[in-house]
């Protein structure tokens, strides 16, 4: 994500499906909603354009699973607090800030492990899906379960 001077536009690039575009819009709305608790000047949103690019060539991406990651990326952008580089995350977000369960936990956890990640943030409601994760991954990774986006900020960003 990147921010430039502007008039409050959200620009989304990459091969994103409609659901992922909606997740990005919801993430920005949540950051605006949480501006006070995050220490963000609410007026900066109207003076900034936000560009979210989801790379990976020609591979189409869709679904709500990146909602938490988009929220954290945008919160990081507006607070200037970097996101931990040893942490992966997944989860759908609601406009009330709840982190909702997603599918494909086993595959996402194994991909994180292959990428050298040390911590994985997962929706609390996906806790039972860890039963499908191989023991090696459970031993090598730290799992943090999220109920809401405040949990995500606390565990994903360097303060």
């Amino acid at each position: 994500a990147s921010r430039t001077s502007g008039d409050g536009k959200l620009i989304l690039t990459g091969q994103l499906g409609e659901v992922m575009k909606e997740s990005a819009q919801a993430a920005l709305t949540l950051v605006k909603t949480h501006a006070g608790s995050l220490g963000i000047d609410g007026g900066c949103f109207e003076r900034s354009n936000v560009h979210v690019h989801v790379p990976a060539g020609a591979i189409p991406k869709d679904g709500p699973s990146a909602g938490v990651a988009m929220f954290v990326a945008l919160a990081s952008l507006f607070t200037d607090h970097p996101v931990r580089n040893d942490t992966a995350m997944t989860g759908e977000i609601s406009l009330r800030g709840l982190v909702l369960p997603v599918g494909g936990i086993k595959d996402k956890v194994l991909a994180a492990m292959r990428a050298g990640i040390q911590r994985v943030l997962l929706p609390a409601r996906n806790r039972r899906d860890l039963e499908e994760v191989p023991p090696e991954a459970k031993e090598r990774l730290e799992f943090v379960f999220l109920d809401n986006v405040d949990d995500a900020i606390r565990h994903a960003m360097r303060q």
Side-chain angles (χ1 to χ4, degrees):
S2 130
R3 183 173 81 168
T4 59
S5 294
D7 55 0
K9 289 187 182 102
L10 173 62
I11 303 158
L12 304 170
T13 55
Q15 281 206 289
L16 305 172
E18 286 305 310
V19 174
M20 190 169 268
K21 289 177 184 176
E22 291 169 1
S23 289
Q25 293 169 336
L28 183 57
T29 296
L30 267 177
V31 170
K32 290 177 180 180
T33 302
H34 285 75
S37 65
L38 291 169
I40 300 169
D41 167 25
C44 72
F45 298 109
E46 291 79 33
R47 298 186 306 268
S48 303
N49 287 343
V50 175
H51 185 160
V52 177
H53 180 65
V54 182
I59 300 169
K61 292 160 284 301
D62 201 11
S65 294
V68 168
M70 288 185 182
F71 172 80
V72 169
L74 293 173
S76 170
L77 180 68
F78 281 95
T79 62
D80 290 322
H81 291 295
V83 178
R84 294 174 55 130
N85 63 359
D86 65 346
T87 301
M89 62 199 78
T90 189
E92 181 177 356
I93 55 172
S94 78
L95 287 177
R96 297 177 127 202
L98 298 176
V99 176
L100 305 174
V102 296
I105 294 298
K106 176 183 172 186
D107 292 333
K108 291 170 183 171
V109 165
L110 292 176
M113 186 176 75
R114 284 192 302 274
I117 294 296
Q118 296 171 354
R119 301 169 77 233
V120 180
L121 310 185
L122 299 170
R125 293 190 219 169
N126 281 116
R127 186 181 301 266
R128 71 184 191 297
D129 293 310
L130 279 189
E131 294 170 9
E132 301 172 12
V133 174
E136 176 190 2
K138 291 181 194 176
E139 292 167 12
R140 288 181 48 189
L141 296 169
E142 173 190 355
F143 296 97
V144 177
F145 295 97
L146 310 173
D147 289 309
N148 55 57
V149 294
D150 294 328
D151 295 340
I153 292 295
R154 191 169 41 261
H155 294 287
M157 290 175 53
R158 294 199 167 113
Q159 297 295 326

